Amino acid sequence: GSVPCDDLSISDIWMNHPDVRDAMHAKSVSEIGEFQICTNVLLYHHDAGSMIPIHKQLMGEGLQVLIYSGDHDMCVPYTGSEAWTRDVGKKIVRPWQAWYVKDQVAGYTVTYDRNLTFATVKGAGHTVPEYKPAEALAMFKRFLAGKP
Amino acid sequence: GEDSAEVKSLPGFDGEFGSKHFGGYIAVDEKHGRNLYYYFATSERDPDTDPVILWLNGGPGCSSFDGFIYELGPFLFEAASSKSELPKLKRNPYAWNKVANVVFLDSPAGVGLSYSMTPTDYNTSDLKTAKDTHTFLLAFFTKYRKFAKNPFFIAGESYAGIYVPTLAREVVQGLRQGVEPKINLKGYLIGNGCTDNVYDGNALVPFVYGMGLIDSDLHDELEKVCKKNYWQVTSPKCVELLDQMDEDLKDLNMYDILEPCYHPDSHTYGGGSRSRGREETSGMEGGAGGRGEEGGNKFERKSLKRPASLVQFGDGGGDGGEEKEREEREEREEREKEEGNGHAEEEKGKPEEKGEREEVTGMTSLGGRVMKLLPGGLLRLGSQGAAAADAGEQEPKARERSEEARLEGQKTREGGAGVEVEERRGEGGTTGRGIAKKGRLPESFLQLGQERR
């Protein structure tokens, strides 16, 4: 229901306004209750285990994969993503290098075989497009275009 | 169907949309009335050929409107001067639908605007969520048939590090079975995603050391004592060192270590706390500034209360002075050490439950688990119980060993020096002696842990 260190009043106000619900074709507060950015109603079970075997399987299907990390995030730190991608990727096809947006270093990236790329976004927190919107969009565009 | 779902205007936005937007529900289980809400912002470039992206926020339990409002959505949201007014919206120059057709999906049912008519549906899981989301996709591409041929990518962050691959696997399996409509899955992207208990659980110590948040002595000792294994801990000394590290990190904003932490009740905060929504707000209590405008002393944060949204103040709760509390806690822990056990058990069911205040810290641990809060949702990163969660990939013997280790770790952690999860209660005043007992974590997350047990 709440998130430490974040002010969520904008989403709380906007998403619970009847005119907004109506405009978005969403059920009203009286029908489905108040919107919360994160809910406590779920009783959630993590039953899928580690994602690593699944990533390996999917990479075998020829899918294009980008794993990125805002490098200021302490919640899911980049060190974990860097480690598992390194172990899964094995063979480096494009070594570590900086990547740039408007001549500024936006982060660092490495590409492994089987279309797996790991990239950091320098100075970004947990929610990368929020902290570094321009860099996030640039990264997204390059990924979609199949560019480094 | 498309026409009736079109969103033609949104309160707070005066201009014209840069492309067509749609919103509505798709039933993933008619019988139980399980309905998922989506918002579909088509590409502002070339919707007919640009890729379709499904965006999922994490939690578990967090709405993808986090992505829509605060991250990559078509609009920037600017807080109104008063909280009774609607935010002002303007076009977001960095919206991802500049170059792609983006579908924001609230999943699983119960999250955001999604719902079920059958409350037991809110008892859910990774695998069930993946199946439902696949069902959603098939219905979505049936409804928006012309987009089915476009390249399709799945994207998300945080706990969506679980949602994304599990869904991708469902889609791949569906394609193999010839399920229609054929989804043109090309790839996926995950930001700061959860992946694996071992990798993620061992990531924090090297991160905080690399960022200079803990000193070399503590880091070296952690490596030596814990043997670089921080997620499945059985050594009391390692537990103690991890607690010491937690103490060093507890006042940081875990989502961005250099950002201030927003405290809704921080009247005394000299600088500006960061408000979500890229436009920094001015009507917020606690300062008008935002990123880069922090005028006050950062270290003042140390003396602040915890975020009000996370603290339930009862009688006697209030601004008790964290310094004094800390001293008391240390004194209490010292006493516990001497007594050789935590007093969680003996405090259970005591009558002084009223007037307590419950604290939820950003990062804490319980019974051998090292846990972290994801934005609004909660995740245990390294957990003894996680071994059981991964049981599907383990041999029975390994599973037994994991369970033994978990129980041993739990014993160690609960009986050792560290009492990680505390609930403090003021006794007859604002600075009353704190009493440690289990229960700092929100209920739903505790339930998650219990389920694993």
Side-chain angles (χ1 to χ4, degrees):
Chain A
S2 56
V3 182
C5 295
D6 275 338
D7 174 11
L8 297 166
S9 52
I10 287 178
S11 49
D12 288 346
I13 293 166
W14 198 72
M15 295 294 292
N16 285 313
H17 197 283
D19 294 346
V20 174
R21 294 277 183 110
D22 194 41
M24 292 169 63
H25 314 299
K27 297 274 184 190
S28 66
V29 171
S30 62
E31 289 171 297
I32 57 166
E34 288 215 341
F35 172 90
Q36 288 185 304
I37 206 82
C38 295
T39 183
N40 283 330
V41 306
L42 298 183
L43 180 57
Y44 195 92
H45 311 256
H46 171 47
D47 59 357
S50 169
M51 291 300 105
I52 289 177
I54 303 179
H55 282 299
K56 284 180 177 170
Q57 181 196 337
L58 293 169
M59 284 167 200
E61 299 286 337
L63 296 178
Q64 195 182 331
V65 181
L66 171 64
I67 306 298
Y68 63 90
S69 285
D71 69 0
H72 280 185
D73 178 27
M74 192 164 70
C75 187
V76 186
Y78 75 89
T79 38
S81 300
E82 183 187 336
W84 79 256
T85 49
R86 183 185 57 229
D87 290 353
V88 167
K90 290 181 183 163
K91 189 181 168 195
I92 293 176
V93 296
R94 203 167 51 241
W96 278 103
Q97 57 192 285
W99 67 278
Y100 297 84
V101 174
K102 291 181 183 167
D103 297 331
Q104 297 289 318
V105 174
Y108 300 90
T109 182
V110 60
T111 301
Y112 301 97
D113 61 357
R114 297 190 296 176
N115 288 323
L116 170 65
T117 297
F118 174 66
T120 66
V121 183
K122 197 170 166 56
H126 188 62
T127 46
V128 169
E130 176 181 9
Y131 291 92
K132 293 285 178 187
E135 289 79 358
L137 179 60
M139 178 180 69
F140 180 61
K141 281 162 85 169
R142 289 175 204 182
F143 172 71
L144 293 184
K147 289 181 182 170
Chain B
E2 280 189 32
D3 288 347
S4 62
E6 186 170 358
V7 178
K8 293 189 172 160
S9 65
L10 284 172
F13 183 70
D14 295 330
E16 279 187 19
F17 292 176
S19 62
K20 282 199 168 197
H21 292 195
F22 303 91
Y25 290 94
I26 283 179
V28 293
D29 184 338
E30 299 270 6
K31 188 179 160 198
H32 291 95
R34 205 154 67 244
N35 291 274
L36 300 186
Y37 182 87
Y38 69 93
Y39 191 101
F40 180 29
T42 60
S43 176
E44 294 181 8
R45 190 173 60 182
D46 184 358
D48 291 342
T49 59
D50 279 341
V52 176
I53 309 296
L54 177 72
W55 176 263
L56 299 164
N57 276 100
C62 293
S63 166
S64 291
F65 278 94
D66 192 287
F68 182 90
I69 293 173
Y70 298 115
E71 302 183 46
L72 53 114
F75 306 103
L76 294 173
F77 286 71
E78 186 180 347
S81 53
S82 114
K83 285 192 174 177
S84 58
E85 292 174 38
L86 277 175
K88 299 254 183 302
L89 277 60
K90 59 184 183 184
R91 297 267 294 275
N92 175 12
Y94 303 112
W96 286 18
N97 77 313
K98 292 280 174 198
V99 295
N101 300 289
V102 184
V103 184
F104 298 88
L105 177 68
D106 272 346
S107 167
V111 172
L113 297 172
S114 295
Y115 68 95
S116 175
M117 301 304 287
T118 311
T120 50
D121 278 348
Y122 298 147
N123 184 345
T124 190
S125 71
D126 300 328
L127 300 178
K128 190 175 166 191
T129 299
K131 282 199 184 307
D132 272 2
T133 314
H134 184 221
T135 304
F136 165 84
L137 283 177
L138 294 171
F140 177 86
F141 282 118
T142 302
K143 185 179 176 80
Y144 299 93
R145 194 93 202 184
K146 69 175 182 181
F147 291 94
K149 67 180 189 321
N150 298 28
F152 176 64
F153 293 86
I154 307 170
E157 68 195 10
S158 197
Y159 197 79
I162 308 293
Y163 294 153
V164 172
T166 48
L167 172 61
R169 183 173 61 179
E170 284 289 324
V171 173
V172 167
Q173 283 169 358
L175 288 168
R176 281 213 188 107
Q177 291 159 7
V179 173
E180 292 287 337
K182 194 178 167 205
I183 297 172
N184 190 14
L185 179 66
K186 292 293 182 189
Y188 58 90
L189 59 160
I190 297 169
N192 293 81
C194 308
T195 304
D196 174 89
N197 289 313
V198 179
Y199 283 102
D200 292 333
N202 286 332
L204 184 65
V205 172
F207 174 80
V208 296
Y209 176 60
M211 288 292 179
L213 300 175
I214 58 170
D215 63 50
S216 302
D217 290 346
L218 176 57
H219 173 257
D220 294 350
E221 214 178 338
L222 273 163
E223 279 204 337
K224 190 175 143 199
V225 172
C226 305
K227 300 180 175 64
K228 297 189 180 179
N229 170 21
Y230 310 108
W231 82 279
Q232 202 169 36
V233 178
T234 53
S235 148
K237 179 64 180 165
C238 177
V239 171
E240 196 179 310
L241 291 167
L242 288 171
D243 289 343
Q244 201 178 323
M245 181 185 76
D246 285 356
E247 185 67 18
D248 286 349
L249 304 174
K250 71 173 187 185
D251 290 324
L252 292 173
N253 181 338
M254 90 182 79
Y255 305 117
D256 188 324
I257 53 168
L258 295 187
E259 287 286 346
C261 180
Y262 171 73
H263 298 253
D265 62 341
S266 58
H267 304 287
T268 55
Y269 188 35
S273 299
R274 179 169 166 278
S275 168
R276 296 197 68 183
R278 297 169 208 92
E279 296 295 313
E280 302 297 346
T281 59
S282 56
M284 190 173 67
E285 284 184 334
R291 197 181 313 176
E293 295 177 344
E294 190 182 51
N297 180 357
K298 274 191 169 182
F299 297 103
E300 278 188 34
R301 278 191 296 150
K302 289 259 180 195
S303 65
L304 293 175
K305 289 178 287 187
R306 300 208 183 283
S309 59
L310 303 173
V311 181
Q312 294 166 2
F313 291 104
D315 300 334
D319 193 358
E322 221 171 73
E323 197 54 44
K324 179 146 189 176
E325 285 183 2
R326 188 175 298 128
E327 283 169 19
E328 286 169 352
R329 188 172 60 242
E330 284 166 4
E331 188 186 314
R332 188 176 66 245
E333 287 173 355
E334 190 58 38
R335 200 170 57 247
E336 284 165 13
K337 256 190 238 176
E338 285 166 12
E339 289 168 6
N341 59 58
H343 51 215
E345 287 303 316
E346 72 189 55
E347 289 303 327
K348 269 185 194 166
K350 277 201 170 185
E352 306 90 346
E353 293 291 311
K354 285 177 189 168
E356 65 195 5
R357 81 179 198 191
E358 206 171 292
E359 293 187 333
V360 181
T361 56
M363 182 167 52
T364 186
S365 49
L366 166 66
R369 303 152 195 273
V370 176
M371 299 172 173
K372 288 187 175 186
L373 295 150
L374 295 183
L378 293 144
L379 164 74
R380 61 205 161 105
L381 257 195
S383 149
Q384 313 287 338
D390 294 339
E393 290 165 13
Q394 293 178 329
E395 292 301 315
K397 276 189 180 174
R399 213 176 302 161
E400 279 172 28
R401 280 198 298 275
S402 299
E403 181 64 10
E404 283 166 15
R406 184 188 68 75
L407 292 169
E408 184 57 35
Q410 185 177 320
K411 235 188 291 175
T412 310
R413 247 175 124 88
E414 288 182 356
V419 178
E420 299 84 24
V421 179
E422 297 179 339
E423 185 171 279
R424 265 181 267 150
R425 175 172 70 248
E427 287 183 334
T430 56
T431 58
R433 181 175 297 281
I435 292 177
K437 72 184 187 71
K438 303 297 173 191
R440 192 189 280 180
L441 293 171
E443 192 179 3
S444 67
F445 191 54
L446 290 173
Q447 285 168 346
L448 179 61
Q450 281 157 4
E451 285 305 313
R452 289 271 54 84
R453 282 181 186 166

